[in-house]
Amino acid sequence: MNNKGGNSLTFTCAFTFVVAACSLLYELLIAQTVAHLAANTVVWYSVTIGTYLCAMGLGAFLANRVFKGPSRWHSLFTVEILLSLAGILIVPLIHFGHITYSSLYMEDVTGSSIPAYVFFGTAFLIASVVGMLSGLELPLLIAAGKESSSAPYTTNRVLTADYVGSLAAGLLFPMVLVPHVGLVSIGILIATLNLVMAGLILWRLKKSEPILLRGALTTVLLGLSCFAFANVKPVQQFFLQKYYYYMLSEPGFAGIFSRPEGARNVERWSSPYQKIDLVHDDTSSDNPAIINSFSNKFIAEPDFPRDRFLFLNGDFQFASNSEEIYHEYFAHLPMIINGGVPESILVLGGGDGLLIRELVKHKTVRRIVHVDLDRKLVELAKEHPVLLSMNKKALFDPRVEEIFGDGFTWIRNTDQTFDAIYIDFPYAVDYNLSKLYSREFYHFVSRRLKPNGFTAVDTPGVGMLSDPAPDGTQVLLPDNDWSIYYHTMKAAGFKSIIPYVTTLDINDPQIYENLSPLVSLADLPELPADAGDPAEAEAYFKNMMIRDALVQYMVSLQQGFIYLSNRKDVATGQYIELPVQRYVLNEKHYHLAFATSFPKGNKVNLNKVNSIMKPRFPTLPLTYVRLPF
Amino acid sequence: MFYACSIVLAFCSIVYELLLGQSLSAFLGNTVLRYSVTIGLYLLSLGIGTTLAERSKVRERPVIALARVELILTLVGGGCVAVLFLVSFLGLPKIVFSLFAHFLVLFIGVLTGYELPLLLEAKARSGKQSDNALIGFNYVGAFAGTIAFAFVFYPWLGLLTSAFIAGILNSIIGMILALSWLQENGQKPKEGWLVFGGHLVMATVLVFCVTRNTQILEWLLGMYLGA
């Protein structure tokens, strides 16, 4: 083996290492972007990777048929240029697929899955094209390696470089890129790497070939990708606004590309675990009069932030206009069931600090251990002015002890026990979160309770109830997740499992009296001539309209929780007054919270138990695509 | 037959890897990290396996060598979830558990890396041409595996049963390989029958495990939760 040949093989291997890394990075980038917009992370990760591998196989199969030219490096140059173009476009194209989905979804009243197929179709088309282009590389590189060196095991060396490159990408992507760089930027970065590789090819060929045209092309594209990288913020903001304010876009085809009108900027922070988005949407249609009907928060605290929404990974967490309903029922109601205020409390999740704001109101609480996965979210809750004015600096309370870590691991390993455990995790939209609603998790929770302790769980899906009948009763909707929660918690060993719902009093005559002057006579239907007393008929219709509005408001906010205890004899009959200020939760609302009947079985149905070994969550359909509204 | 082997073997291997990736994510959290690392390691170990296979003597008797590889793969792959679960009860430090799990990923990957060169060799010896299709079917198998894992195996069968079933598939291929080798090499039946018997025993045990999967799961869970 001569020296030049050795150098050349080294170059080939180094080149292979980089492009293999790029290839796997593209694969992971596509998977991550799709999974982020679609929920069901594990499913779409696996499927994207499978599609990509399949396309790579096809590319490898085709490589020696497509490129028959004299030099492999010329072919590789073409592949690198094409890949870099694709790389810059990957994330924007998938987002446009999602925007098209939103548009079709809004206009499609039949509720078919076709819009979702449009989104997934776009994603898999991209995965196939990029995968195929990447698949072309390896056979060409092996051939190039063989041309440059006659050493044995040339193929193996190139292959090894390929595999090591894949491994490097597998580590780089989740550990460095996702936490620190936005997805659009990651695409541009990888594309730039491809371009640098294209440039290197030219540099090596410079003596033997005319390269002016190719050199110019590479330079222009490099400049373009640097420009794109420098201006990535407006692009990201555009996609964020399209996601959160799609309603404000023009209807039809033009709406896909236009910026939503009057949309404020979305504030976004990235952590290794999630994307945190704070949205200020003052175009929302909540009527202040109806908000004030149930809570005088904005009268007592006129400066409380309005129209703010927190989203984690694109999933709704709370709305500042109505969060007190949710947090008061969550924090105080289980204490009333349990018959008193706990001394030591464990809070799992709930990094925004709003639940803890309610808990620290109790003077007799001595200690609150707060375990949250995401340091970034907790830092925001302690620094961001809007969040601070909402959580009242609760996380600075001297009784609060912050621990950063995975709730599952922490509760499994701790030997501390508590009077109360509050569990406030995001909705189980993928298997990763499903674990935090598993039988195994609840089992460890029950072991960390003191004998008279209780657990309060925010259980998304339990509040899925029908509109109230004329007598006020509500029934469980078919997609209610109650039975999964029930059998899972029963399998975990809890003796008392008591669900309750944020059911508001929509029959309070005082509310009708307050709202009545606000209903315009013009909104009322024409009264029939034989309606009897016109004043009575008018009042009747006014009340109907008010009731409709109240029902709509209540059902849109309705949230289910579950109280858990290791004691058998817990009952909900008795109301006790807690000495803390509240806006919504009172004796009447306490009793209304148990108005809906939830079916219970005597035996555990193992098919309904959510386990880390066999998940029952998420219950979302597989073709579910995330939408904020 | 080689095409069928190529599809099923790739299918089983990717299912093992995804099961391990998901178990890691279930025990240690952070799905994206676990999946990325598992896939990166899998590709790396495939490379190592391929290299080892090309250098080693096993290529001289590819069919029976492949049947032997499948014997180990069935044992390790079919039992990987159960073993991982058992190891997690021991209360070892997280790093030991994590190293062990990644070692399993690597081990299964290396063994899987042996498959394709051996299949190619076997095909070449049988006098037929065009090995590209064999590689193509390998990719198809991997693709089918990811789809089956995401839509059927994990949500419907669970981690434990999925591993058992992939193991059964694997040993069926092993038995077919051993039988076809026996057919061609009547002179050395002992080794062939041993490999065949090994697969048969493992397939039987795994089928038994599938029928008793609820009890096994409850038993494992009892140990896990009791710890």
Side-chain angles (χ1 to χ4, degrees), chain A residues 237-372:
Chain A
Q237 193 53 241
F238 172 79
F239 288 125
L240 280 173
Q241 290 184 336
K242 284 307 255 188
Y243 184 77
Y244 288 111
Y245 300 96
Y246 188 77
M247 309 285 214
L248 301 181
S249 300
E250 288 172 52
F253 186 69
I256 292 176
F257 301 101
S258 66
R259 194 171 166 274
E261 241 167 276
R264 288 170 187 267
N265 274 358
V266 175
E267 290 183 83
R268 160 163 287 195
W269 298 271
S270 296
S271 79
Y273 309 102
Q274 55 202 357
K275 309 275 181 221
I276 306 162
D277 295 330
L278 190 59
V279 179
H280 185 177
D281 182 3
D282 46 14
T283 63
S284 77
S285 54
D286 281 343
N287 185 331
I290 293 186
I291 296 176
N292 291 343
S293 302
F294 295 107
S295 161
N296 53 357
K297 178 173 79 176
F298 284 110
I299 298 160
E301 303 177 46
D303 295 333
F304 196 89
R306 285 168 201 261
D307 305 319
R308 309 301 173 117
F309 301 83
L310 184 77
F311 290 85
L312 297 179
N313 283 339
D315 290 324
F316 172 78
Q317 302 301 310
F318 68 73
S320 68
N321 292 353
S322 55
E323 54 75 31
E324 72 275 22
I325 302 179
Y326 170 88
H327 289 108
E328 286 180 10
Y329 276 74
F330 193 1
H332 309 299
L333 200 146
M335 297 183 188
I336 302 174
I337 303 179
N338 210 55
V341 178
E343 283 193 352
S344 60
I345 299 179
L346 170 67
V347 176
L348 299 168
D352 52 52
L354 298 187
L355 172 66
I356 294 180
R357 172 196 71 198
E358 294 300 317
L359 296 175
V360 295
K361 282 180 182 172
H362 293 278
K363 298 272 185 296
T364 51
V365 168
R366 284 172 42 196
R367 175 169 183 247
I368 298 175
V369 177
H370 179 208
V371 180
D372 201 289

Side-chain angles (χ1 to χ4, degrees), chain A residues 156 163 432 435 439 613 622, chain B residues 26 31 43 47 85 151 159 218:
Chain A
N156 280 334
Y163 293 129
N432 208 15
K435 185 176 108 171
R439 162 196 190 171
M613 300 298 281
L622 282 170
Chain B
T31 308
L43 289 174
F85 235 66
F151 291 97
L159 292 176
E218 289 303 308

Side-chain angles (χ1 to χ4, degrees), chain B residues 93-115:
Chain B
K94 217 163 146 178
I95 182 81
V96 179
F97 174 78
S98 173
L99 278 177
F100 178 72
H102 286 108
F103 168 76
L104 281 181
V105 171
L106 209 65
F107 190 74
I108 291 175
V110 170
L111 287 178
T112 307
Y114 270 83
E115 290 173 347

Side-chain angles (χ1 to χ4, degrees), chain A residues 92 260 338 415 417 426:
Chain A
N338 210 55
D415 51 6
T417 54

Side-chain angles (χ1 to χ4, degrees), chain A residues 133 137 192 211 247 251 372 504 571:
Chain A
L133 285 173
E137 292 171 333
T192 312
I211 55 159
M247 309 285 214
D372 201 289
L504 299 171

